Amino acid sequence: MCLAIPAQVTEILAGDQARVALGGLHKIISTSLVDNVKTGEYLIVHVGFAIGKLDPSEAERTLALLAEMGATPDNPAAYR
């Protein structure tokens, strides 16, 4: 089973990379598969790659559902 997680862009980096935040977690991901990424946007992240953009309300809904399943930033093992 695979899981793609919504994450918000906090910083655009060089070389098709961005820093994203998910709760208290911050990760650097590749943005090479998504055009025109901007700070503040939500991306769908899978295995360290952004695979698409996501509407903010849909991102919040998805994150709320993950939290209901116990996948929260204070439980990082849930994201593995």
Side-chain angles (χ1 to χ4, degrees):
M1 179 176 153
C2 294
L3 178 65
I5 301 172
Q8 190 172 28
V9 178
T10 59
E11 182 181 1
I12 303 297
L13 304 172
D16 288 330
Q17 292 187 326
R19 184 180 312 277
V20 296
L22 173 61
L25 300 174
H26 294 267
K27 299 287 184 184
I28 295 175
I29 63 159
S30 171
T31 58
S32 62
L33 300 177
V34 180
D35 293 330
N36 302 316
V37 174
K38 296 178 181 72
T39 300
E41 289 185 313
Y42 282 90
L43 302 174
I44 302 169
V45 180
H46 177 67
V47 194
F49 282 85
I51 58 174
K53 293 185 181 182
L54 190 60
D55 178 85
S57 61
E58 184 65 24
E60 293 299 326
R61 182 173 169 264
T62 302
L63 292 170
L65 290 170
L66 287 170
E68 282 183 32
M69 296 183 325
T72 58
D74 61 344
N75 182 15
Y79 293 106
R80 293 190 184 123

